[in-house]
Amino acid sequence: MSLLPDSAHPATVLLDAQASTLRLPVCDHYSGVEARMRKSLELQAEMTAEFGTCVFDVTLDCEDGAPVGDEAAHARLVAALARESAPEARVAARVHAVDHPAFAEDVATIVGEASHRLSYVMVPKVESVDDVLLAEKALERASGGHLPLHVLIESPAAVYRAFEIAAHPRVQSISFGLMDFVSAHGGAIPASAMGVQGQFEHPLVVRAKLEISAACHAHGKVPSHCVVTEFKDPERMQAAAGRAAREFGYTRMWSIHPGQIRSILAAFAPAQSEIDQAARILLSAAAVHWAPISADGVLHDRASYRYYWQLLERAQQTGRSMPAGVQPWFAASSST
């Protein structure tokens, strides 16, 4: 079956104002110790070769990675690692919070020396749009005005302002800081809510996760789910990632151990049966120039086509095998 010209590519036809066009790898992997940062970048290259696409970002961590009193040296190390990364690598940096004494120097050093290699800058403990504006100005002073901001929301007040934060054009993604959120409640939320099961059950934590996810989807941004600390249990890890994706609307998740990456990919990837179904429907739709069709007794039009196209995009992001008929669509996307 022949496909339509680029002007009728699914991404052009189907992703209108009602759909987010922002796509990021579904996994964001954090490391802050030099040896682990280097290994993370090596692993990213290995898995990119394995899957044929970059399936996770590497965020080099200054907030938790920098030894107290040695923040400046750590920032220089992060800048050097970013500069040395391969051209196809997706590497970012988490700096200190905007009210931390090291924040300004973090940005000046890392962005000033390596902005051309960074995919984004992550800012923790964002409380309001004012913090986003401070970070934005710092990026501009360091010649990083082109860089997106990823922000980490970690308090009840910040959750309340999630929609305002998500609306800022520089913000590309919002992450949820589970453990700081729980501890911000002064013991009112039990420690069990930080665990792999309790975080999906406690009403205040559930509400916070849903607010952040809804805010991101309302403004076309990427909601990124929090860490799971039980990194030695891949089954529970994958179950948590699956719930984040299927029940809470998250399209991305943090990894804090290399062993978590494949579990996240597996949880966020569509099943092969879903991929095959999406391909059949979209190829049939393309053949009639995206007019409504009937498939297996079910009516489909552009609303459902959009859903199935986004499902195929997620399959491509997670390195899944794509049916031959739709592969040219993705070859065209990667060449533009």
Side-chain angles (χ1 to χ4, degrees):
M1 180 181 294
S2 62
L3 298 180
L4 295 177
D6 290 345
S7 60
H9 190 282
T12 302
V13 175
L14 304 177
L15 298 182
D16 56 20
Q18 291 180 301
S20 171
T21 59
L22 180 58
R23 299 289 176 263
L24 297 174
V26 301
C27 181
D28 186 10
H29 180 64
Y30 279 73
S31 55
V33 176
E34 181 176 0
R36 294 173 186 168
M37 291 191 286
R38 292 186 183 278
K39 288 182 178 178
S40 296
L41 291 167
E42 291 171 3
L43 180 60
Q44 184 189 62
E46 292 169 6
M47 291 184 68
T48 296
E50 175 186 348
F51 286 97
T53 189
C54 183
V55 292
F56 70 93
D57 287 337
V58 172
T59 300
L60 307 176
D61 191 12
C62 288
E63 188 191 25
D64 291 336
V68 175
D70 206 15
E71 291 86 357
H74 193 79
R76 290 193 297 271
L77 170 63
V78 166
L81 290 173
R83 287 197 313 272
E84 296 165 8
S85 63
E88 65 276 11
R90 281 187 55 88
V91 58
R94 176 165 69 162
V95 297
H96 285 84
V98 296
D99 60 353
H100 191 281
F103 168 75
E105 189 168 2
D106 278 354
V107 175
T109 299
I110 298 168
V111 176
E113 297 180 9
S115 65
H116 62 293
R117 292 298 307 119
L118 296 173
S119 297
Y120 54 88
V121 171
M122 163 61 78
V123 181
K125 295 180 171 56
V126 167
E127 289 292 310
S128 69
V129 174
D130 289 341
D131 289 346
V132 176
L133 293 173
L134 287 172
E136 182 178 41
K137 290 177 181 177
L139 288 183
E140 291 170 352
R141 287 193 298 269
S143 300
H146 62 287
L147 287 172
L149 284 171
H150 290 201
V151 303
L152 183 57
I153 284 181
E154 306 179 63
S155 75
V159 169
Y160 176 76
R161 304 183 186 107
F163 279 80
E164 296 175 10
I165 293 169
H168 192 283
R170 184 60 65 88
V171 173
Q172 189 179 62
S173 175
I174 298 180
S175 297
F176 176 50
L178 170 66
M179 289 179 280
D180 282 281
F181 179 81
V182 170
S183 62
H185 285 75
I189 300 178
S192 60
M194 293 186 282
V196 70
Q197 183 172 345
Q199 64 175 283
F200 293 101
E201 297 176 351
H202 193 281
L204 286 174
V205 177
V206 168
R207 174 180 171 273
K209 289 187 181 187
L210 293 175
E211 282 291 299
I212 291 170
S213 176
C216 285
H217 289 297
H219 293 287
K221 310 301 173 68
V222 174
S224 187
H225 194 264
C226 58
V227 301
V228 169
T229 55
E230 294 92 335
F231 62 86
K232 292 186 177 180
D233 190 335
E235 289 185 3
R236 296 182 75 191
M237 173 68 203
Q238 188 167 333
R243 293 196 69 181
R246 293 189 303 271
E247 300 175 29
F248 288 75
Y250 281 80
T251 57
R252 182 169 161 99
M253 186 168 178
W254 284 35
S255 160
I256 55 172
H257 187 277
Q260 295 182 327
I261 295 172
R262 290 183 186 271
S263 294
I264 292 172
L265 292 178
F268 279 80
Q272 190 62 47
S273 60
E274 295 177 303
I275 296 170
D276 293 340
Q277 179 192 38
R280 288 195 304 271
I281 290 171
L282 290 176
L283 288 169
S284 297
V288 296
H289 296 241
W290 308 107
I293 64 168
S294 175
D296 301 321
V298 177
L299 178 66
H300 294 281
D301 58 18
R302 290 197 186 189
S304 56
Y305 299 159
R306 183 186 306 122
Y307 169 83
Y308 289 113
W309 172 246
Q310 291 170 328
L311 186 147
L312 289 185
E313 287 188 311
R314 193 167 72 255
Q316 195 268 344
Q317 285 177 284
T318 49
R320 287 305 187 256
S321 175
M322 303 291 278
V326 301
Q327 287 177 11
W329 281 331
F330 293 94
S333 297
S334 62
S335 66
T336 56

